[in-house]
Amino acid sequence: MTRAAAPLPTLADIEAAARTVYQEFQPTPQYRWGLLGERLGTECWLKHENHNPVGAFKIRGGLTYFDRLAQRGELPREVISATRGNHGQSIGWAARRHGVACTIVVPHGNSVEKNAAMRALGVNLVEHGDDFQAAREHALQLAVERGAHMVPSYHPDLVRGVATYWWEFLRAVPHMDVAYVPIGLGSGACAAVAAKRALGHGVRLVGVVSCHATTYADSFAAGHVVASPVSTQIADGLAVRMADPDALAVLLPELDRVVQVNDDAVAAAMRALFTDTHNVAEGAGAAALAAALQEREALRGQCVGLPLTGGNVDAALFARVLMGQ
């Protein structure tokens, strides 16, 4: 059996988090794109988390995590974390804002441009291991050795901040019937659950994972954490080998189901988003659309919500995707 779910942020918690987030940037837009609706065959709204200072939703969690540390008088000398890129930019941004040294561990072969973006925020970047899990284990070891504060990739204070984007989205589209929610390590998906509960919104939440990184699909089916190998070449934000048990406890009773999408479907969704909206989506950022297109026939007559969770894809990779290579 999985563990009991930790309490999720309340409406008051999310509203307070929004005030923290809005000190750095304004609410991101959500648009009903005509061409995207034609492609999907129904009313479709896109939430643009690619339109914020780090180009991905994670920044909201970093800001609220550090705000809570500051409120408790617990800002450390140094923080350490692990990432495939967007979480690291979030922590780097928030650490710079609070004058805290920041070291981020990434696996070898990580996105060149995400690495550069983190360094530009003042992050000390360390490359270690072949995947996120190996990088995470090394980050934990470094934190112990250096007496630094380890920032996890899933934590209630991160969820509180990330929930602000779902709070914006669900308030803007009160008649949304179903939303597709990409699952990396779980903060975004759990934030969707939190915002849905806080607002009393009736939206159905469908989890989305890569079929080349199935830990959450396998864990959802089994009812407990099941580790799975990672082989996705395009959806690095979903490239997680082991589900977080706390996130899984939140998601098990709340997700309608979990849909798996392959790299070809994700690439096709990246092309579709650029063609229909002229927005750039990284692999994980296009996963929600990939899943919705996979279930297109079942969605007729429903209002569908899709988060474009991030646009941080290396130019060379995006060029190959656009060319269908």
Side-chain angles (χ1 to χ4, degrees):
M1 293 293 291
T2 190
R3 68 184 72 187
L8 287 170
T10 65
L11 182 59
D13 292 331
I14 298 171
E15 290 173 341
R19 291 191 288 273
T20 298
V21 169
Y22 296 161
Q23 292 175 25
E24 297 293 302
F25 61 93
Q26 292 303 301
T28 57
Q30 49 277 313
Y31 297 127
R32 182 181 177 182
W33 292 93
L35 286 173
L36 205 57
E38 284 186 0
R39 185 183 297 270
L40 197 57
T42 194
E43 181 180 352
C44 176
W45 289 78
L46 194 65
K47 178 63 168 170
H48 286 282
E49 283 302 284
N50 57 316
H51 291 179
N52 69 46
V54 303
F57 74 94
K58 294 280 191 178
I59 188 174
R60 298 171 182 264
L63 289 169
T64 51
Y65 187 93
F66 273 77
D67 183 65
R68 289 301 292 266
L69 288 176
Q71 287 179 17
R72 296 193 297 264
E74 297 176 359
L75 281 173
R77 172 185 53 82
E78 180 186 17
V79 295
I80 293 179
S81 195
T83 190
R84 289 302 305 265
N86 291 335
H87 172 70
Q89 289 185 72
S90 164
I91 300 308
W93 182 285
R96 183 182 67 175
R97 186 178 192 275
H98 288 273
V100 174
C102 179
T103 295
I104 299 292
V105 183
V106 300
H108 292 291
N110 198 53
S111 162
V112 173
E113 292 176 23
K114 286 180 180 177
N115 287 355
M118 285 184 278
R119 290 189 176 104
L121 292 170
V123 165
N124 172 36
L125 200 73
V126 175
E127 295 181 88
H128 182 90
D130 295 325
D131 64 7
F132 169 77
Q133 188 64 25
R136 176 180 176 275
E137 290 166 3
H138 187 63
L140 286 164
Q141 180 182 339
L142 284 179
V144 171
E145 291 174 357
R146 290 153 62 161
H149 177 89
M150 176 69 186
V151 182
S153 297
Y154 180 85
H155 188 277
D157 289 338
L158 296 172
V159 173
R160 181 180 292 107
V162 174
T164 61
Y165 101 73
W166 281 104
W167 171 74
E168 292 169 6
F169 199 11
L170 296 180
R171 286 197 308 158
V173 192
H175 60 291
M176 189 186 301
D177 295 304
V178 57
Y180 286 83
V181 187
I183 308 176
L185 207 63
S187 66
C190 292
V193 172
K196 172 186 172 175
R197 285 187 185 177
L199 293 170
H201 199 292
V203 66
R204 302 189 313 280
L205 301 176
V206 178
V208 183
V209 303
S210 169
C211 68
H212 313 290
T214 60
T215 179
Y216 271 97
D218 298 342
S219 301
F220 191 81
H224 58 83
V225 172
V226 177
S228 301
V230 171
S231 59
T232 177
Q233 298 299 304
I234 194 169
D236 57 352
L238 305 182
V240 174
R241 189 182 351 141
M242 185 175 295
D244 184 275
D246 292 322
L248 182 65
V250 171
L251 298 177
L252 274 172
E254 297 289 345
L255 294 183
D256 191 73
R257 61 191 181 282
V258 176
V259 176
Q260 299 184 37
V261 293
N262 64 28
D263 278 0
D264 287 344
V266 169
M270 292 168 71
R271 288 192 294 273
L273 284 166
F274 188 76
T275 300
D276 294 353
T277 76
H278 291 102
N279 276 263
V280 175
E282 61 188 279
L289 175 59
L293 289 170
Q294 195 165 287
E295 300 193 335
R296 183 178 187 276
E297 296 305 315
L299 295 175
R300 294 190 183 279
Q302 299 184 60
C303 175
V304 180
L306 306 173
L308 200 173
T309 54
N312 297 323
V313 56
D314 285 2
L317 173 59
F318 191 56
R320 292 197 298 273
V321 167
L322 290 182
M323 295 297 291
Q325 297 175 349

